[in-house]
Amino acid sequence: MKDFSIRLAEVEDLNQLQKVARQTYTDHFTHIWEDAGKYYMENSFNKVVLKNELTNPNHLYFLGFEQEKAVGYMKLNIDQLLMESRHLNSLELERIYIRKNATGLGLGRQLIQLAFKEARERHKDLIWLKSMDSSTASIAFYEKQGFVMCGKDQLEWPFIKPEYRGMVVMKKQLKRETT
């Protein structure tokens, strides 16, 4: 396991966040798109969108570093309902993206643990996420962290190849710490 550092991203980190978002997405997901992900990245990782999200208190971005280089990030949505149950006290783990050369070295586990900590500090009962149903390695990773499948969804973005539209919804019930 490598030594990574993680910190909350601020508006001043906009350029660095955009760069790592595009790099990590390109590393792992361009094959699922007819246009190599161009439309998705332009609509999800442009500076206006990222700046709006960085200044919105409902969104938290964390950057993961190997030495001084950003190699991954995580996005949390603080007050996001779990779709099936309309669970009111839940937090969504929207993204954990890590550069291909840093995958499998422990950053993902550190980011997940940080997501659990953030959820507990906000007195959330549940943390949930979506993963592509074709991404068996990601699903296995989340299951190892205690997530269970609880539903299915479909991606409706233009240009996504039909065989990659399927998503699984996963959740993890958080235990309340007693004092």
Side-chain angles (χ1 to χ4, degrees):
M1 196 151 100
K2 284 204 172 201
D3 187 26
F4 294 100
S5 61
I6 301 170
R7 69 171 171 77
L8 182 66
E10 304 287 342
V11 174
E12 297 78 28
D13 299 309
L14 176 63
N15 290 334
Q16 191 169 34
L17 175 62
Q18 183 186 42
K19 181 178 178 183
V20 75
R22 289 177 181 265
Q23 288 173 333
T24 56
Y25 201 84
T26 299
D27 279 356
H28 298 283
F29 297 107
T30 55
H31 69 281
I32 72 171
W33 301 94
E34 295 167 357
D35 69 345
K38 183 179 177 185
Y39 179 87
Y40 178 82
M41 287 191 282
E42 285 302 317
N43 285 279
S44 299
F45 305 139
N46 71 60
K47 288 185 179 181
V48 172
V49 168
L50 290 174
K51 184 175 182 182
N52 286 340
E53 290 180 345
L54 284 167
T55 58
N56 182 332
N58 188 52
H59 303 295
L60 293 177
Y61 278 93
F62 293 89
L63 290 167
F65 296 88
E66 182 178 16
Q67 296 169 351
E68 298 297 315
K69 184 176 180 176
V71 294
Y73 76 100
M74 174 174 68
K75 179 184 178 191
L76 302 176
N77 297 316
I78 303 305
D79 291 311
Q80 191 69 32
L81 298 177
L82 175 59
M83 29 186 272
E84 300 76 42
S85 66
R86 300 288 179 225
H87 195 285
L88 296 177
N89 197 22
S90 61
L91 177 145
E92 179 188 17
L93 170 56
E94 184 177 340
R95 293 185 191 127
I96 290 183
Y97 291 164
I98 299 170
R99 291 294 317 258
K100 193 171 266 190
N101 62 357
T103 302
L105 301 176
L107 179 57
R109 188 173 193 289
Q110 290 178 27
L111 288 168
I112 285 275
Q113 294 303 314
L114 179 57
F116 295 159
K117 178 181 177 278
E118 291 292 329
R120 285 187 186 102
E121 286 178 359
R122 289 169 171 71
H123 307 289
K124 300 296 182 180
D125 297 321
L126 184 97
I127 187 166
W128 67 279
L129 59 88
K130 293 180 186 178
S131 182
M132 295 175 60
D133 63 8
S134 60
S135 185
T136 55
S138 294
I139 292 169
F141 170 75
Y142 293 128
E143 287 175 335
K144 191 173 181 181
Q145 305 308 314
F147 285 87
V148 295
M149 287 189 214
C150 63
K152 295 185 178 204
D153 198 12
Q154 287 281 117
L155 289 173
E156 299 300 332
W157 283 88
F159 307 112
I160 191 166
K161 295 176 184 176
E163 63 269 29
Y164 294 108
R165 290 189 180 277
M167 301 288 286
V168 295
V169 181
M170 303 180 80
K171 67 180 180 179
K172 178 180 171 114
Q173 198 72 36
L174 298 173
K175 294 181 179 135
R176 291 281 176 115
E177 294 181 10
T178 57
T179 54

